Amino acid sequence: MAAGGTIGGWDEKAAIFVFGVCFLIALAKGFPHALRRDFSSHREWMIRGYAMGLAGPPHVRLWGLFPPVAALRGHTPQAQRFFGTAFWIGFILTALSAELWIRYTRNRQLEVQLAA
């Protein structure tokens, strides 16, 4: 996708490439954990992959195409540059949210295991 035409230019292409690679790495790291039946590690890597692959685009749309922002910016070159920035903001917030969720639930899983 990053090789095709984009609205945000090279900034958007770089974000798509970086987070596409992160998505593939998360999937590649999660698969061996599933084969070894280490489901807690597999779960963590799949949450990261899900965040990069599926949850990122809605955040990108929120920041880049939020109606009041789009209405104020119009179709100017400045608005197009902002769309590239929106990709970085959306992906980083999604990745951060996924990591926070992993760390929050990791502690809960340890408490449940220790209690059992």
Side-chain angles (χ1 to χ4, degrees):
M1 283 180 58
T6 58
I7 295 171
W10 286 102
D11 192 24
E12 179 184 348
K13 288 181 183 188
I16 291 170
F17 178 77
V18 167
F19 287 97
V21 169
C22 290
F23 172 69
L24 294 175
I25 288 172
L27 296 180
K29 290 188 71 90
F31 185 67
H33 289 291
L35 293 177
R36 288 193 303 264
R37 304 189 67 76
D38 179 8
F39 294 120
S40 62
S41 296
H42 170 73
R43 176 187 161 277
E44 291 179 6
W45 283 107
M46 290 301 102
I47 290 172
R48 290 179 183 108
Y50 180 81
M52 292 300 103
L54 297 177
H59 280 171
V60 170
R61 300 304 182 262
L62 174 70
W63 290 102
L65 299 176
F66 188 66
V69 173
L72 291 174
R73 293 188 175 273
H75 293 290
T76 64
Q78 185 182 25
Q80 291 175 347
R81 283 193 302 273
F82 180 75
F83 195 70
T85 304
F87 266 77
W88 285 104
I89 293 170
F91 280 129
I92 289 171
L93 288 177
T94 304
L96 182 62
S97 300
E99 286 301 317
L100 291 172
W101 179 254
I102 288 169
R103 290 169 196 234
Y104 175 75
T105 57
R106 183 186 297 159
N107 292 337
R108 297 240 183 227
Q109 283 181 334
L110 287 174
E111 291 173 7
V112 169
Q113 289 174 354
L114 292 175

